[in-house]
Amino acid sequence: NPFFVSGKEMVDYIADYLENIRERRVFPDVSPGYMRQLLPESAPIDGEPWPKIFADVERIVMPGITHWQSPHMHAYFPALNSMPSLLGDMLADAINCLGFTWASSPACTELEIIVMNWLGKMIGLPDEFLHLSSSSQGGGVLQTTASEATLVCLLAGRTRAIQRFHERHPGYQDAEINARLVAYCSDQAHSSVEKAALIGLVRMRYIEADEDLAMRGKLLREAIEDDIKQGLVPFWVCATLGTTGSCSFDNLEEIGVVCGEYHLWLHVDAAYAGSAFICPEFRTWLRGIERADSLAFNPSKWLMVHFDATALWVRDSTAVHRTFNVEPLYLQHENSGVAVDFMHWQIPLSRRFRALKVWFVLRSYGIKGLQRHIREGVRLAQKFEALVLADHRFELPAKRHLGLVVFRIRGDNEITEKLLKRLNHRGNLHCIPSSLKGQYVIRFTVTSTHTTLDDIVKDWMEIRLVASMVLEEMNITISNRVYLKETKEKSEAFGSSLLLSNSPLSPKVVNGSFAAIFDADEFLAKTYAGVRIAHQESPSMRRRVRGILMSGKQFSLDSHMDVVVQTTLDAGSGVTRTGSTNSYGRTTVHDPTAQGTAGGQASIREDNEESSEETELLSLCRMHGKVVDLTPCSTPSHAHSASTHNRGCSSTSTSQSPPGNQFRPISFHAASQQSNDHLPHPVPHPHPHPHPLALPLLLPISNRNVTVSVDSLLTPVTACNVYHGKRFLEPIESLAENSASFSSSIFHLPTPTLEPPEDLDWPARTFSQLLLERYSSQSHSHSQAESLGDSSTDSSSLSCGATPTPTPLSSLDELATPLLDSFGSPPMLSAHGAGEEEEKHQHSDSDATICSAASSMESL
């Protein structure tokens, strides 16, 4: 039999073609009319042998073929095939029955009913759309294309609308009513909807899509009401699920509600996306289908069934029957009216046995196999989307849905148009354009079962190469700069940039000016704190936090988070703190537990750790006979408040060891009478003074038997005045005049009596800058109280003005000497002290002490 030999030869050729299709040029390089030069003008008079005919397939046909099964075919939508589908159609073509009635081929009709029920259940259709019994109103049918299905439903809706109008307003002709009918669809709908309106001789009104390219119920309602006022008759709406231009989805729920209110036929066109509804995760777009009257999608696009095969379901088939019911005697049979005759469901009479190939595919792959196929196509589209987003020259004008990605080159439409033409001309891949809100875009669809990730990457490299060529030819440079305006439009939470930090435990962002935190509900802060919490209890981290609090500089994000984490640890250990905010917007944290035991203070240092600053001060004081109190207070007031006269503890408590996790404040205070008794040169007890802070600031002393304080080195995290990560340092004189509390690293400001300027700019100051600005214009003499008042005024102006440019630091001793003058003691001490030379000697001792502390602070 020649069929055996020729058939086997054809099957082998088809198998080789599909297996090696990747090697073929996807888009042909031919011109219109190329085949006329290869074939004669008329058919041959005598037949030709099959080998000669078969050889002309490769010579004449294949050079002009656009290879839709190629992995580099990304135009239009998929048009897939498969081995079961091809074999099923081979058998159907061999049988070649015309199943226009049940009697013409019962198996053709019966199998189609069952297959359509299978498909309907696979995508989750309500039972009203299925052939469940002989009394079912609804059901499904296989049409040739989605365009034909749209036309069938529009004509059925028109028939129902005319009939309803006759019932309400008798006396009109069908043509008069037809002239007033109006249909509606999105401006993103397929061209077949417009063509159906042209054939049906009805008006079509296009509803503008929203920013997501979807038709919404509000605009549809407004259009319907406007047409009713003009005397028109709305009758039909087409909702698109998966538009051709961008695979966007109309809001089916809102549209269904509007159609129900005005009794309009709602048709759902899901030609491409309908196949994806076999996956439950994609059925969210199908919500509201219970309000629809008909739905159509193409298994020939994405379900491995080759063209032609379009599945159409209707809720009420009687409207379709009334539209296409032409039943001559020669088409009648004994089961007419009982069995389903699909000739009443379509425009043509004859129909192919399409159900056979669908049946073969569903049985061969099963629901799970088809679901894997759909999800793989979506995954590959996601990969391509990521590649596009990684190139700053390209943009995605619409959100990706399923297996379709639309992209363009930033700039004018002319650039993208030229890119697409060059790509298709090269023939290595094939895409088509679309227009979205006036933007020229390129559609990229995963269309082939042979497509792999390597193919996607190869196609993207081709796109990038051609884009570079086009941009170079047009002399266009696209900057990769991200503008602040664009970032804020994309994220309302924008506003925090990552700054570099010197901590080895923190992440680094080299270009911090373009790095932003897109944070929701402080997720980033919580995550960051969780990462660093393991390092917080280490000695190195505690020293880092202590140095941060001493620096007086603007905090980086890392530094600020370290302080926050330490505060969290304090709160977790049972410490309760309250805060108050003054009129300057600064928050002062109060620790009520500080009135009790010293154990309520935060842990920044080890229990037995003794800092180098503390050791150095101790040695200096021992050399000059000073009393140094290094013991924790049993009942102290706030650890860093100088508003009370005696901040230290009695010398009798020096034998106590500090409890765990506790600061050891070292305070400036006058030595008590008990402490003086054991000294080689006792010092008279100072008299009470009206203002405990003003006295050491205004007048010099002659005998300085005082306790040295380096408590600034041990400042707890929660005792800081921090506003947006900045420190606020005020002149010492103004603090004394306003009864402010003081420590050498923290200034606790009182509530100001005057309102601050409307637009405050509180600049951060380093320790050196403040000292330079404070004392650069003053004399080193500490005996002139008037200069203190003047400098107080000058220094106060720094809080609201621009930051002055600091002068270079010439010597730290020059900086520390005037600082000592501000730590003067009450005049009563001077009255009982020695002469001027001893006073000068005492000045020198304190200078060394302050210089040591300042040097330590600068090094930190």
Side-chain angles (χ1 to χ4, degrees), residues 43-110:
I45 297 176
D46 297 325
E48 300 177 8
W50 170 253
K52 182 179 179 180
I53 298 172
F54 187 68
D56 284 344
V57 172
E58 194 67 32
R59 183 180 68 90
I60 298 175
V61 177
M62 285 300 173
I65 290 293
T66 299
H67 299 283
W68 284 65
Q69 307 308 312
S70 171
H72 305 296
M73 172 68 177
H74 303 293
Y76 312 105
F77 279 125
L80 303 180
N81 59 27
S82 62
M83 181 270 293
S85 179
L86 294 174
L87 296 179
D89 229 10
M90 286 177 62
L91 178 59
D93 292 340
I95 296 172
N96 198 28
C97 63
L98 306 178
F100 43 80
T101 63
W102 181 88
S104 65
S105 186
C108 180
T109 302
E110 296 283 345

Side-chain angles (χ1 to χ4, degrees), residues 508-573:
K508 300 295 186 294
V509 177
V510 175
N511 194 350
S513 62
F514 299 102
I517 300 175
F518 297 88
D519 188 14
D521 299 330
E522 299 181 352
F523 172 80
L524 182 64
K526 296 177 182 178
T527 305
Y528 183 90
V531 172
R532 299 184 67 91
I533 197 76
H535 306 282
Q536 195 69 25
E537 286 299 316
S538 64
S540 61
M541 180 57 70
R542 288 195 289 271
R543 284 191 293 269
R544 165 176 162 75
V545 173
R546 188 168 69 241
I548 290 172
L549 297 176
M550 291 180 54
S551 64
K553 299 180 180 180
Q554 183 176 0
F555 288 165
S556 67
L557 178 63
D558 294 326
S559 302
H560 187 71
M561 288 308 304
D562 289 338
V563 175
V564 171
V565 171
Q566 185 62 46
T567 306
T568 305
L569 292 177
D570 296 341
S573 62

Side-chain angles (χ1 to χ4, degrees), residues 627-654 664-672 675 706-709 711:
V627 176
V628 183
D629 186 358
L630 299 178
T631 60
C633 304
S634 58
T635 58
S637 59
H638 193 285
H640 301 282
S641 173
S643 57
T644 57
H645 173 61
N646 190 358
R647 295 180 56 207
C649 299
S650 168
S651 60
T652 60
S653 62
T654 56
R664 294 177 292 174
I666 309 173
S667 304
F668 276 111
H669 65 276
S672 63
S675 301
V706 296
T707 300
V708 182
S709 171
D711 61 343

